[in-house]
């Protein structure tokens, strides 16, 4: 008999727009000792299934039909008190963010011992011994010394181990892990995944692993269920589903996953964005077309082929760059102290090149971008743009030409657009500000054309940002950066807030634009596979220091620095599916 | 047309919540009645309380129309000078609301300007301005108002007193309320400033003033609207308090506060209506405005929902 059996689960949320069906007739089974992956893009209903099993559906959501059986016992028939005994005792949960799932005011010992004693009748001393054992089992080597520490004294990965220990301390039969490694760096992710694998094998615990990351799914799950808009698309043995998908959607999803092994010219066969504005797509501004936009953008490029000197001087030269963040104002007799976010950074970037910057969180990737665009002042070193020295942000004149020539695309499309302006106003702003158009009609025409260039209907210009999805908003952000007619584009994690299929679309778009306009792009990402697809050369940062600069192809063949090798080894990849 | 309107009502969060909140609707109705009554006072009031010729001292302190000695001409009775209380209340509400709205306008413009500037510029300007705000907060609002009122009385020539009293009141009440706006505007500006759309504007090299007005201000209006409504009630109350203390509007232009002050003198001699009706009007108006403010706070602050 299966450990967990979900049959025909339908969860509904009444909203003022009518009933929203979060999951529709979902069935799946989890055996003891098995890791069952739930994969899907945002809004697929993954988390809703987890919450339904835990009996923790957010009000006003309710279960419309179906049943959930844990070892043959129907959970939906239980009343609140009985459910309370199942929850935590027989089913546990691991949450995404270890920062918020532990109580910062209690020591790890307090939290573990409390939970253990809540669920079994043991003395405090016995509970403590158990807690130490659990921490050791989850890979905290000096558990005895560290058990009395507070959560903030542990690193992110260690904290997630504590969370797992907390989930284990009631000897549950089933653990639901909701994006357990999404907030962690790859090296830590690898260890946590290995831990989950071991626990499933040794303790015979069934896991439901909810994630949007196909790499994670391929790495550790036995069975996988692919969800889309609340429906099961495909389900079965992980290897089979991922390697020989039978459904079109799964196939498209797999095609959209960036690979480490090879660079594709474009992502093919990806899911089309069918949510783009329904109805009157024929609304047009007179004379506006993608052609007009691309001609206009090309006519504004003075940098390329102006002569041999232009092509030999690097577009951007960074020399001995150092950025220090001051920790408060220094007193009269104190010397300045601070944290070095970047030190000793040297590199050149050539015209038309795509340079990747890779590093884990806190490695200084974004600081580097910010010091180039002038949001952060370097404390030492020199930046040169096309051979001319680039003044630091606070001394850079507002009318300095690089303010137009360097544009930036941000990570979060939800905060990078002003919600109170229409899309037309947002895109027209740079045109108007840099005085790039002749008159109002021309501006309007350009806005419509650029929208078409980024594959949005022209009608979008009449709407407000909140009426668009994340991917569409990112297209609008790209359009806004483009209309300034930049030579140099900085993309700071432009797709890390997006679903894979949307990510593939945006990456395709950026590739096309780069090719068409010969843009130089500084592409920042923590995702090696994305970097592989996008860049010609890359540099690896660690703790604010340059670890390696390399040609992208060579880097993935033979990384030179030990840190790069480690990084590459730890990144989940789909290649082992072929090998196994 | 109608379906379009209905669709808009579903999509617009504020309107949707309003249409499903009976109490807020009631409060809005009451507030509108007060506003309408005040605005149209010269046309709907049966008598003009400013017109000395029409006042007959023989009519003074008549009880409401339904009591034994009542006079049908005066629905809720008359005050000590023989003015129709209903008309006086309408005119009084007019003055109270006028002073309240003017002083809130003054306070919000001053507070929002200072707050956005402090939040955006930070550094020394921020420290100095916000310390001034702290000092201001440590003084009770009524004290600030009394202080300014006193100074104005000292400086201004006697004959221009009465004409300028409304301006002085506005400034006095406005100055004691601007801190709320400044603090809220500053905190919201801090949040917005770190968002990427503002950074994009900074990178472009846009003028800081333009960034503040075009990008930041529209995005922080939500919480400011809430303060605006709630402080409107406070301003009306402050005006009434000042008038009650006799330092507000001159006695020949009755505001609600003045009417209540006059009424209290007759409380113990049995003429209860003189104090009751102006007080009731004031209470109902303040409660309605406060409920509206609470509704706005719930509707515009997603964290409270």
């Amino acid at each position: 008999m299966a450990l967990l059996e979900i049959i025909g689960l339908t969860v509904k949320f009444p909203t003022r727009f009518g009933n929203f069906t979060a999951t529709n007739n979902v069935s799946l089974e989890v055996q003891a000792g098995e890791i069952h992956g739930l994969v899907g893009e945002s809004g697929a209903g993954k988390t809703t299934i987890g919450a339904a099993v835990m009996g923790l559906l957010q009000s006003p959501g309710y279960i419309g039909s179906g049943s959930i059986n844990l070892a043959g016992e129907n959970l939906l028939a239980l009343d609140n008190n009985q459910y309370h005994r199942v929850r935590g005792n027989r089913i546990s949960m691991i949450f995404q963010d270890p920062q918020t799932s532990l109580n910062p005011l209690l020591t790890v010992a307090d939290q573990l011992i409390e939970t253990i004693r809540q669920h079994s009748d043991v003395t405090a001393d016995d509970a403590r011994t158990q807690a130490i054992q659990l921490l050791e089992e989850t890979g905290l080597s000096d558990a005895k010394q560290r058990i009395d520490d507070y959560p903030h004294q542990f690193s992110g990965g260690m904290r997630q181990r504590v969370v797992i220990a907390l989930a284990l301390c009631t000897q549950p039969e089933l653990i639901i892990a909701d994006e357990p490694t999404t907030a962690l760096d790859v090296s830590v992710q690898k260890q946590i995944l290995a831990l989950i694998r071991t626990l499933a094998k040794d303790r015979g615990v069934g896991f439901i692993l909810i994630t949007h990351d196909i790499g994670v799914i391929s790495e550790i799950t036995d069975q996988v269920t692919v969800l889309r808009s609340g429906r099961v698309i495909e389900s079965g043995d992980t290897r089979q589903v991922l390697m020989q998908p039978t459904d079109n959607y799964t196939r498209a999803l797999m095609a959209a996953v960036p690979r480490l092994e090879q660079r594709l010219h474009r992502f093919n066969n990806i899911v089309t964005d069918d949510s783009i504005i329904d109805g009157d797509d024929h609304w047009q501004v007179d004379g506006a077309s993608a052609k007009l936009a691309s001609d206009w953008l090309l006519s504004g490029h003075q940098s390329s082929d102006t002569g041999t000197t232009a092509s030999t001087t690097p577009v951007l030269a960074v020399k001995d760059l150092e950025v220090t963040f001051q920790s408060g104002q220094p007193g009269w007799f104190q010397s300045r102290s601070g944290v070095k976010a970047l030190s000793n950074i040297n590199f050149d970037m050539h015209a038309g090149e795509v340079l990747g910057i890779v590093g884990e969180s806190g490695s200084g990737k974004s600081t580097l971008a910010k010091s180039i665009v002038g949001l952060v002042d370097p404390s030492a070193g020199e930046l040169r743009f096309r051979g001319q020295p680039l003044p630091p942000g606070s001394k850079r004149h507002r009318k300095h030409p690089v303010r137009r020539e360097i544009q930036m695309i941000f990570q979060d499309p939800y905060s990078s657009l002003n919600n109170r302006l229409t899309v037309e106003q947002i895109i027209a702003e740079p045109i108007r500000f840099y005085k790039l158009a002749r008159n109002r009609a021309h501006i309007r025409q350009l806005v419509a054309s650029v929208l078409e260039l980024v594959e949005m209907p022209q009608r979008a210009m009449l709407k407000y940002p909140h009426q668009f999805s994340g991917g569409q908003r990112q297209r609008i952000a790209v359009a806004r950066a483009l209309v300034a007619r930049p030579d140099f584009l900085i993309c700071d994690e432009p797709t890390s807030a997006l679903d894979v299929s949307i990510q593939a679309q945006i990456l395709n778009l950026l590739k096309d634009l780069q090719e068409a306009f010969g843009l130089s792009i500084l592409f920042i990402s923590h995702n090696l596979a994305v970097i592989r697809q996008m860049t010609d050369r890359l540099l690896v940062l660690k703790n604010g220091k340059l670890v390696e600069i390399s040609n992208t192809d060579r880097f993935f063949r033979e990384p030179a620095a030990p840190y790069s090798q480690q990084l590459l080894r730890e990144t989940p990849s789909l290649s082992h599916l072929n090998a196994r | 047309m109608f379906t379009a309107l209905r669709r808009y009502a579903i999509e617009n969060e504020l309107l949707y919540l309003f249409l499903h909140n009976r109490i807020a609707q009631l409060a809005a109705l009451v507030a509108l009645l007060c506003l309408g009554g005040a605005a149209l006072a010269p046309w709907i009031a049966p008598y003009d309380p400013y017109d000395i010729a029409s006042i007959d001292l023989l009519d003074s302190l008549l009880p409401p129309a339904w009591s034994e000695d009542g006079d049908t001409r005066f629905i809720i009775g008359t005050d000590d000078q023989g003015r129709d209380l209903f008309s006086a209340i309408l005119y009084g509400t007019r003055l109270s609301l006028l002073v309240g709205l003017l002083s809130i306008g003054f306070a919000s413009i001053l507070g929002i300007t200072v707050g956005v500037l402090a939040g955006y510029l930070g550094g020394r300007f921020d420290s100095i301005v916000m310390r001034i705000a702290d000092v201001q907060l440590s003084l009770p609002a009524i004290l600030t108002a009394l202080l300014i009122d006193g100074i104005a009385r000292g400086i201004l020539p006697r004959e221009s007193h009465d004409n300028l009293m409304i301006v002085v009141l506005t400034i006095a009440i406005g100055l004691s309320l601007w801190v709320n706006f400044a603090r809220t505007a500053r905190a919201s500006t801090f949040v917005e400033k770190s968002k990427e759309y503002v950074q994009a504007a900074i990178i472009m090299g846009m003028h800081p003033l333009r960034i503040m007005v075009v990008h930041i201000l529209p995005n922080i209006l939500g919480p400011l609207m809430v303060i605006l409504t709630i402080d409107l009630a406070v301003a009306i109350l402050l005006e009434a308090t000042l008038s009650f203390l006799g330092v507000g509007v001159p006695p020949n232009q009755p505001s609600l506060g003045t009417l209540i002050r006059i009424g209290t003198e007759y409380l113990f001699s049995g003429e209860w209506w003189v104090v009751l009706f102006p007080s009731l009007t004031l209470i109902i108006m303040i409660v309605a405005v406060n409920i509206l403010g609470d509704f706005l706070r719930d509707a515009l602050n997603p964290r409270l929902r």
Side-chain angles (χ1 to χ4, degrees):
Chain A
M1 185 174 47
L3 171 65
L4 178 81
E5 207 179 11
I6 300 177
I7 305 161
L9 180 71
T10 301
V11 176
K12 292 189 172 183
F13 283 86
T15 70
R16 60 180 199 255
F17 302 102
N19 251 342
F20 171 71
T21 310
T23 69
N24 195 344
N25 202 11
V26 170
S27 302
L28 56 93
E29 275 185 14
V30 183
Q31 310 292 337
E34 177 187 272
I35 303 178
H36 193 111
L38 290 185
V39 70
E41 309 200 318
S42 45
K46 311 179 293 270
T47 301
T48 308
I49 294 176
V53 173
M54 284 297 275
L56 289 175
L57 273 182
Q58 288 273 325
S59 158
Y62 64 95
I63 292 174
S65 61
S67 64
I68 302 173
N69 301 324
L70 182 68
E73 187 184 358
N74 187 2
L75 291 182
L76 299 184
L78 300 180
D79 67 26
N80 245 342
N81 277 333
Q82 290 167 318
Y83 218 128
H84 191 70
R85 245 163 279 146
V86 173
R87 185 165 43 217
N89 223 346
R90 298 175 61 193
I91 312 176
S92 286
M93 190 137 185
I94 302 170
F95 296 95
Q96 174 173 352
D97 191 356
Q99 307 269 25
T100 52
S101 51
L102 292 171
N103 185 338
L105 295 179
L106 295 179
T107 64
V108 167
D110 291 341
Q111 302 187 41
L112 280 167
I113 292 169
E114 188 200 347
T115 318
I116 292 171
R117 295 192 69 191
Q118 183 92 45
H119 290 282
S120 61
D121 207 11
V122 291
T123 65
D125 285 345
D126 286 350
R128 192 182 167 85
T129 330
Q130 268 186 42
I132 292 173
Q133 269 171 10
L134 277 170
L135 287 177
E136 274 165 355
E137 191 181 341
T138 54
L140 212 66
S141 49
D142 44 356
K144 229 177 221 145
Q145 288 87 50
R146 304 218 53 190
I147 190 165
D148 288 312
D149 284 354
Y150 287 90
H152 70 90
Q153 290 165 299
F154 292 88
S155 68
M158 285 297 162
R159 230 177 276 153
Q160 196 62 307
R161 286 173 197 272
V162 174
V163 174
I164 293 176
L166 205 53
L168 284 176
C169 65
T170 55
Q171 320 273 341
E173 298 153 53
L174 178 74
I175 295 182
I176 298 168
D178 192 350
E179 305 268 6
T181 57
T182 308
L184 306 174
D185 282 327
V186 275
S187 54
V188 186
Q189 163 168 306
K190 182 104 178 172
Q191 298 161 14
I192 297 290
L193 291 181
L195 173 63
I196 290 178
R197 177 84 268 179
T198 328
L199 290 175
K201 205 163 84 203
D202 296 353
R203 287 181 161 238
V205 182
F207 272 91
I208 293 182
L209 185 81
I210 297 170
T211 180
H212 67 280
D213 188 337
I214 308 247
V216 170
I217 290 286
S218 78
E219 199 105 308
I220 69 161
T221 60
D222 305 304
Q223 298 280 314
V224 67
T225 299
V226 183
L227 294 160
R228 186 191 194 190
S229 322
R231 289 172 184 278
V232 175
I233 296 293
E234 200 166 348
S235 186
D237 177 66
T238 300
R239 189 143 176 242
Q240 197 197 334
V241 169
L242 297 188
M243 295 316 291
Q244 290 125 19
T246 54
D247 189 89
N248 276 337
Y249 174 73
T250 322
R251 238 175 264 145
L253 198 64
M254 291 305 292
V257 178
R259 308 293 174 113
L260 275 177
E261 313 85 66
Q262 53 179 5
R263 178 170 183 171
L264 303 167
H265 183 59
R266 273 179 127 258
F267 294 94
N268 291 315
N269 182 31
I270 51 181
V271 193
T272 44
D273 201 349
D274 46 8
S275 63
I276 286 190
I277 312 169
D278 46 314
D280 35 13
D281 273 358
H282 302 298
W283 189 92
Q284 280 200 328
V285 172
D286 264 352
S289 68
K291 173 98 172 47
L292 180 91
S294 67
D295 289 348
W296 178 76
L297 288 172
L298 279 173
S299 70
H301 274 271
Q302 62 277 70
S303 66
S304 45
D305 35 67
T306 39
T308 42
T309 44
S311 53
T312 49
T313 30
V315 174
L316 179 78
V318 176
K319 202 156 176 280
D320 298 326
L321 184 77
E322 187 184 295
V323 176
T324 310
F325 287 121
Q326 299 298 340
S327 51
Q329 292 280 323
W332 281 350
F333 300 105
Q334 287 166 292
S335 60
R336 282 183 164 261
S337 63
V339 187
K340 270 194 183 150
L342 284 176
S343 60
N344 209 8
I345 306 288
N346 287 291
F347 67 91
D348 282 352
M349 213 177 132
H350 303 287
E353 184 182 42
V354 182
L355 180 71
I357 298 183
V358 188
E360 304 193 324
S361 50
S363 59
K365 307 183 295 278
S366 291
T367 310
L368 180 57
K370 283 181 177 169
S371 55
I372 295 170
V373 294
L375 287 174
V376 165
D377 281 2
S379 43
E382 194 192 26
L383 294 167
R384 278 176 174 274
F385 187 70
R386 288 216 220 94
Q388 301 297 316
L390 197 59
S394 57
K395 298 201 183 69
R396 197 178 298 174
H397 192 267
R398 285 197 294 107
K399 297 269 164 67
H400 198 289
V402 298
R403 293 216 181 253
R404 183 186 62 75
E405 287 159 357
I406 302 180
Q407 290 292 321
M408 186 155 171
I409 294 168
F410 295 89
Q411 170 174 3
D412 182 3
Y414 289 90
S415 85
S416 65
L417 303 175
N418 184 346
N419 277 317
R420 300 291 171 132
L421 299 182
T422 62
V423 171
E424 180 176 5
Q425 287 169 319
I426 289 171
I427 299 177
E429 193 167 40
I431 307 181
R432 208 168 282 150
F433 186 76
Y434 300 121
K435 303 194 175 59
L436 300 176
R438 292 187 301 272
N439 50 36
R440 272 160 177 269
H442 190 207
I443 293 179
R444 209 172 152 78
Q445 207 177 43
L446 286 175
V447 170
S449 306
V450 168
L451 274 173
E452 199 155 314
L453 190 69
V454 295
E455 292 150 23
M456 293 277 287
Q458 293 188 13
R459 201 184 141 72
M461 66 196 275
L462 304 178
K463 306 202 165 195
Y464 285 89
H466 72 89
Q467 289 165 292
F468 296 98
S469 67
Q472 294 168 339
R473 298 176 90 164
Q474 199 61 299
R475 285 175 194 273
I476 296 168
V478 171
R480 175 181 60 185
L482 273 187
V483 291
R485 297 209 269 202
D487 305 317
F488 190 99
L489 211 53
I490 296 178
C491 304
D492 188 358
E493 305 261 12
T495 58
S496 60
L498 305 174
D499 284 328
V500 266
S501 64
I502 311 292
Q503 163 172 289
Q505 293 169 19
I506 297 290
L507 292 183
N508 270 350
L509 177 68
L510 286 173
K511 272 171 182 260
D512 293 348
L513 294 174
Q514 198 274 332
E515 250 167 51
F517 306 115
L519 295 169
S520 320
I521 298 184
L522 191 68
F523 194 96
I524 298 173
S525 180
H526 68 282
N527 187 333
L528 275 175
V530 169
I531 288 281
R532 167 76 167 165
Q533 299 307 314
M534 293 301 295
T535 64
D536 306 318
R537 283 198 308 150
L538 61 82
L539 51 97
V540 183
L541 289 182
K542 188 196 182 191
N543 297 333
K545 294 198 175 58
L546 201 58
V547 176
E548 182 172 358
I549 305 186
S550 173
N551 178 288
T552 305
D553 284 332
R554 196 173 62 228
F555 178 86
F556 284 93
R557 263 199 326 275
E558 43 202 31
Y563 175 70
S564 316
Q565 291 165 3
Q566 185 200 345
L567 207 61
L568 211 52
R569 213 170 36 239
E570 283 161 350
T571 305
S573 133
L574 300 176
S575 57
H576 62 94
L577 288 176
N578 302 327
R580 223 196 290 173
Chain B
M1 172 62 201
F2 186 67
T3 48
L5 205 71
R6 203 137 104 209
R7 199 177 157 69
Y8 180 77
I10 289 181
E11 279 172 5
N12 186 300
E13 191 98 42
L14 197 61
L15 193 59
Y16 175 84
L17 289 173
F18 182 73
L19 290 177
H20 287 77
N21 190 332
R22 275 288 128 82
I23 301 205
Q25 288 169 22
L26 193 71
L29 187 73
V30 171
L32 271 180
L33 273 181
C34 291
L35 199 68
L40 302 174
W43 293 278
I44 58 173
Y47 300 94
D48 182 358
Y50 295 153
D51 183 11
I52 301 167
S54 75
I55 298 174
D56 189 347
L57 265 181
L58 289 175
D59 292 335
S60 68
L61 293 175
L62 284 174
W66 60 84
S67 52
E68 261 174 60
D69 309 325
D71 188 324
T72 45
R73 284 180 299 156
F74 310 111
I75 316 166
I76 53 173
T78 57
D79 68 358
D80 58 336
Q81 295 172 50
R83 283 188 294 213
D84 174 34
L85 208 48
F86 179 62
S87 309
I89 286 176
L90 281 180
Y91 275 88
T93 312
R94 183 182 168 86
L95 200 67
S96 287
L97 265 178
L98 182 73
V99 173
L101 287 172
L102 280 180
S103 50
I104 276 302
F106 175 65
S108 60
I109 290 171
L110 177 69
I112 293 172
T113 312
V114 167
V116 172
L117 278 172
Y120 188 84
L121 300 176
R124 199 157 294 165
F125 179 78
D126 179 35
S127 316
I128 293 174
V129 165
M130 290 331 277
R131 285 308 80 73
I132 294 175
D134 287 346
V135 171
Q136 169 88 69
L137 263 193
S138 68
L139 297 172
I142 186 90
L143 197 64
T144 319
L146 276 174
L147 200 70
I148 288 164
D149 198 71
I151 293 173
R153 268 165 206 272
I155 296 174
L156 296 172
R158 203 143 185 41
E159 50 280 13
S160 63
H161 252 183
D162 289 359
N163 305 328
L164 286 175
M165 233 30 242
I166 290 186
V167 180
V168 172
L169 261 184
T170 300
I171 293 175
I173 297 172
L175 271 186
S176 58
L177 291 179
W178 70 277
V179 179
N180 275 345
F181 290 95
R183 290 199 151 184
T184 312
R186 173 176 172 267
S188 313
T189 304
F190 261 143
V191 175
E192 294 301 317
K193 194 193 168 188
S194 63
K195 288 204 180 153
E196 289 166 343
Y197 70 88
V198 176
Q199 294 190 352
I202 297 175
I203 293 171
M204 275 173 64
M206 233 182 242
H207 196 281
L209 264 183
R210 192 178 151 77
I211 296 179
M212 284 182 245
V213 175
V214 175
H215 289 293
I216 294 180
L217 194 59
N219 281 291
I220 62 171
L221 277 183
L224 291 174
M225 282 301 295
V226 177
I227 305 265
L228 199 85
T229 337
I230 291 177
D231 273 11
L232 175 63
V234 177
I236 295 172
L237 210 57
L238 260 181
E239 187 278 331
T241 317
L242 286 176
S243 298
F244 181 82
L245 293 174
V247 290
V249 292
N252 61 354
Q253 297 177 19
S255 81
L256 286 177
T258 332
L259 289 173
I260 295 170
R261 178 174 50 126
I262 296 168
T264 48
E265 293 169 16
Y266 297 94
L267 200 53
F268 295 108
S269 54
E271 285 91 6
W272 48 271
W273 59 91
V274 190
V275 70
L276 181 73
F277 292 109
S279 308
L280 264 185
T281 314
L282 185 65
I283 291 171
I284 289 172
M285 189 159 73
I286 302 276
V287 169
V289 172
N290 263 324
I291 289 176
L292 271 186
D294 270 356
F295 161 74
L296 271 186
R297 189 179 56 199
D298 294 350
L300 295 177
N301 188 346
R303 257 180 313 168
L304 284 177
R305 230 180 293 137

